[in-house]
Amino acid sequence: VLGLLVWTLIAGTEYFLYPAFGWVMFVAVFYWVLTVFFLIIYMTMTYTRIPQVPWTTVGLCFNGSAFILYLIAAIVDASSVTKELDSHNYNSWAASSFFAFLVTSCYAGNTYFSFISWRSRTLQ
């Protein structure tokens, strides 16, 4: 839900005029789609039917990459928000920056728990 807020707040503006917001949009939409994809896989328990895939490693790599790229995108988003660019879009961009940092913290926590799960799985 928070990732959805990030890209909808930016998509409602003239973000295409500023390349930095294009990067934030790419990261937000890309990881939102992948998160929904993995959510469907876990809710339908499809992962139990494909035991060849190391799901703990996949989850760790996904969450780790999401954390790193979202952190970069959140920093780019926050540093690109200025009143001089366009005062009409300022509030949307500022809110998207706030939610981008929230999403980053969520992925950081999920990366930590994925690492704990991966580590306990590899020690067995």
Side-chain angles (χ1 to χ4, degrees):
V1 172
L2 297 174
L4 179 68
L5 280 172
V6 171
W7 67 265
T8 54
L9 283 167
I10 294 175
T13 66
E14 293 84 24
Y15 71 92
F16 46 84
L17 299 175
Y18 309 99
F21 292 113
W23 166 251
V24 177
M25 279 292 291
F26 167 74
V27 171
V29 172
F30 180 72
Y31 278 106
W32 184 79
V33 168
L34 283 180
T35 300
V36 169
F37 175 72
F38 281 121
L39 178 67
I40 292 169
I41 285 177
Y42 279 103
M43 286 181 68
T44 60
M45 297 185 65
T46 303
Y47 64 93
T48 59
R49 289 181 236 144
I50 312 171
Q52 300 87 355
V53 176
W55 290 106
T56 53
T57 306
V58 170
L60 177 62
C61 292
F62 169 72
N63 289 316
S65 67
F67 166 65
I68 290 169
L69 290 180
Y70 242 111
L71 179 63
I72 294 168
I75 292 170
V76 166
D77 193 6
S79 64
S80 299
V81 175
T82 60
K83 279 201 174 226
E84 290 84 37
L85 290 179
D86 188 0
S87 62
H88 173 71
N89 298 326
Y90 176 77
N91 290 333
S92 292
W93 289 340
S96 73
S97 176
F98 172 76
F99 286 114
F101 279 106
L102 276 178
V103 173
T104 302
S105 65
C106 289
Y107 277 120
N110 211 354
T111 301
Y112 172 75
F113 291 121
S114 293
F115 176 74
I116 298 296
S117 175
W118 173 80
R119 189 170 166 199
S120 68
R121 191 84 135 128
T122 57
L123 291 177
Q124 292 177 354

